[in-house]
Structures are given as C-alpha cells and as structure tokens.
C-alpha cells in the first residue's frame, strides 16, 4: 500500500459512480448485502469478493460469527445456487489461510475499474462493511481491508470515505457520551454528515439535530431530570460540532 494510493483523487466518472453508490448504501441503512440486492454484482467478481472477506475476517486471528453471517448474507443477496455457494465458501476459506494477497488476485477488477468502476466500488463497500462488523475497525482489520482495496486498483481514500459514512450514520448512537469534537471529521460524525457534503446539507443536518433536543421542544414532554440532562449534553455536543465546522468552512 503506497501513500500515493491514499492521496489520489478519483476520476470524474468514478467519483460520480461512487457518490451514487454511497447514496444507495445510506438508503439501504448501510447494509451492504441490501445494496447488492439493489445493484447486483457481476459473476466474475465473486471469487475475489469472498477471498477478501475471508482475508479480512482472519485479521485478528479468528473468524467470528458476524464474519460468517455477513458472508452468508451476501451469498443470499447474490442468489447463489448450492454449487455456487460451495465455491464461494471455498474462496472464503482460501482468504482465511492467506498471509498476504497473491499478486494476481482480483486482476479483472484492477483492469476494468477505470472504464467500469461500479463492480470494484461495490466490492470495496462490501469489504469495508466486513471490516466494521464489530464497530470501528481495529487497525489490523482496517489494514487488511485497505490492502484488498489497493489490490483491486482503487485509491485507499475510497475506504476512508466508506468508513466515514458508517461512522456518521451507524457508529455514534449517543452523541452526549462522545468527547468534545476536536477535528472536522469528528464534528461531521456527530452531526451525521460527511466531509463530502456541502455546507447547506451540513447546516440542515445541524438544525434538525438541534431541534430534536432543544429545551423549548423538550419542555412539552414529560421527561425525567436525567433525560433532560442527557438532552442538554447532546445539544452542547451538536453546538460544538457546528462551531468547529463553521470555522473550518469559513477559512
């Protein structure tokens, strides 16, 4: 994995396809298997997909039930026959036993992603979903995911953007329990947006979040002192996030 692969910007066609797929992913509730039901995946991608899933699953020494369950969900989404399932399981097992990715693995995706980026991007989304099955991925799990995405020829920033989307929409369930945001990315996560979103979108998200826990609205509800304190802390975090984002976007 090179620093260039992380810093490379996406070509216009790939950027447009990627933005559309991230929108579909959000519409699916960030369930990559549901995304494949909507968009499907060419048959020739399956070998690489399930190999990489096994490779990521073994990153911390053992494969979990969530890893197996996600692979099963993808098999179901792809409507694999019993024979195709056996092949997919075989590729998953090969990925589990691999210490490193073979040089020629996913060559088809690497050769075609410039002219047809959608299959490679959909595989990347599935791999990032696998990396974060336990929540924010551990370093070893994320590194294996990045290695796989690099192997299929995509810039590593693709994985950054996908996982940022999960961070904003899935991982943070209690904003009031989070520390004061100190970076632009942390502020975006608290408001449920990404750095790809415009100022207008971020501002609308902020106003919506604030309206849900504003004292004027809560005064009409029968809440306990603990619930009111929780809402107050949540409001403070949203205000801190918006203050940081406003300063960044004003520069």
């Amino acid at each position: 994995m090179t620093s260039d692969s992380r810093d490379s910007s996406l070509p216009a066609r790939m950027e447009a396809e990627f933005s559309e797929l991230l929108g579909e992913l959000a519409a699916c509730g960030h369930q990559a298997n549901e995304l494949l039901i909507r968009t499907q995946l060419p048959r020739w991608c399956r070998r690489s997909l399930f190999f990489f899933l096994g490779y990521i699953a073994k990153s911390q020494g053992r494969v979990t039930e969530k890893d197996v369950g996600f692979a099963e969900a993808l098999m179901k989404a792809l409507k694999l026959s019993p024979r195709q399932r056996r092949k997919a399981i075989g590729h998953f097992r090969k990925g589990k036993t691999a210490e490193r990715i073979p040089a020629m693995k996913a060559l088809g995706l690497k050769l075609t992603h410039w002219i047809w980026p959608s299959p490679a991007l959909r595989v990347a989304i599935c791999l990032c979903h696998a990396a974060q099955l336990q929540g924010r991925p551990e370093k070893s799990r994320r590194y294996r995911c990045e290695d796989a995405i690099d192997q299929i020829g995509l810039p590593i920033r693709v994985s950054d953007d996908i996982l940022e989307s999960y961070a904003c929409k899935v991982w943070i369930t209690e904003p009031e329990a989070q520390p004061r945001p100190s970076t632009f990315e942390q502020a975006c996560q608290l408001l449920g947006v990404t750095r790809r979103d415009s100022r207008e979108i971020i501002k609308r998200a902020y106003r919506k979040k604030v309206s849900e826990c504003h004292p004027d609205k809560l005064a009409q509800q029968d809440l306990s002192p603990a619930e009111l304190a929780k809402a107050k802390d949540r409001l403070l975090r949203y205000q801190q996030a918006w203050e940081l984002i406003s300063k960044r976007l004003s520069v």
Side-chain angles (χ1 to χ4, degrees), residues 98-109:
E99 293 297 325
R100 60 182 60 85
I101 302 173
M104 301 300 286
K105 179 60 67 177
L107 184 61
L109 286 165

Side-chain angles (χ1 to χ4, degrees), residues 59-60 136-146:
S59 61
Q60 292 171 287
R136 192 178 300 275
E138 297 289 337
K139 287 184 178 180
S140 59
R141 202 167 178 91
R142 180 159 186 162
Y143 288 163
R144 284 206 171 195
C145 177
E146 291 178 347

Side-chain angles (χ1 to χ4, degrees), residues 12-247:
R13 181 176 179 180
M14 187 180 295
E15 177 66 36
E17 185 74 36
F18 188 36
S19 294
E20 183 177 342
L21 283 171
L22 286 180
E24 283 283 348
L25 181 65
C28 294
H30 282 76
Q31 297 300 312
N33 53 304
E34 292 294 330
L35 177 69
L36 289 196
I37 292 175
R38 294 190 184 197
T39 63
Q40 285 303 301
L41 189 70
R43 180 175 297 185
W44 52 270
C45 300
R46 296 171 185 169
R47 180 192 300 262
S48 299
L49 170 61
F50 287 100
F51 176 91
F52 288 138
L53 289 177
Y55 180 72
I56 293 169
K58 198 63 182 296
S59 61
Q60 292 171 287
R62 73 180 188 88
V63 177
T64 68
E65 291 184 7
K66 286 187 176 181
D67 291 308
V68 175
F70 179 56
E72 290 282 353
L74 291 183
M75 293 180 205
K76 184 177 180 180
L78 294 170
K79 299 179 181 178
L80 301 190
S81 67
R83 180 171 177 271
Q84 292 168 337
R85 284 174 57 86
R86 288 194 294 273
K87 285 188 174 182
I89 292 170
H91 297 316
F92 185 90
R93 288 172 175 167
K94 288 180 180 179
K96 284 197 308 180
T97 59
E99 293 297 325
R100 60 182 60 85
I101 302 173
M104 301 300 286
K105 179 60 67 177
L107 184 61
L109 286 165
K110 181 177 288 189
L111 293 176
T112 61
H113 78 275
W114 292 111
I115 57 175
W116 188 21
S118 183
L121 290 170
R122 279 176 277 171
V123 169
I125 288 173
C126 290
L127 300 183
C128 287
H129 187 105
Q132 62 82 59
L133 285 172
Q134 311 290 340
R136 192 178 300 275
E138 297 289 337
K139 287 184 178 180
S140 59
R141 202 167 178 91
R142 180 159 186 162
Y143 288 163
R144 284 206 171 195
C145 177
E146 291 178 347
D147 286 345
I149 288 174
D150 185 51
Q151 182 69 20
I152 62 182
L154 295 176
I156 300 305
R157 60 152 289 198
V158 165
S159 67
D160 294 338
D161 285 353
I162 296 170
L163 290 174
E164 183 184 9
S165 182
Y166 277 93
C168 295
K169 305 296 184 181
V170 180
W171 297 346
I172 295 181
T173 57
E174 295 186 344
E176 67 281 356
Q178 303 298 316
R180 175 173 180 157
S182 58
T183 66
F184 183 74
E185 289 73 19
Q186 289 174 351
C188 286
Q189 289 173 18
L190 278 168
L191 297 183
V193 296
T194 74
R195 57 188 169 185
R196 301 169 66 88
D197 293 322
S198 66
R199 181 187 179 92
E200 290 72 25
I201 291 176
I202 296 174
K203 191 171 185 178
R204 284 201 300 270
Y206 165 67
R207 287 176 172 173
K208 182 178 179 181
K209 294 286 189 184
V210 166
S211 69
E212 294 171 353
C213 55
H214 195 276
D216 292 343
K217 183 175 181 179
L218 298 180
Q220 305 170 14
Q221 304 177 32
D222 185 20
L223 299 179
S224 68
E227 290 172 325
L228 288 172
K230 188 174 182 180
K232 182 179 179 180
D233 289 341
R234 181 170 293 194
L235 177 62
L236 177 62
R237 289 291 175 268
Y238 291 150
Q239 291 172 334
Q240 291 169 340
W242 175 245
E243 181 180 354
L244 192 155
I245 289 172
S246 295
K247 289 181 179 178

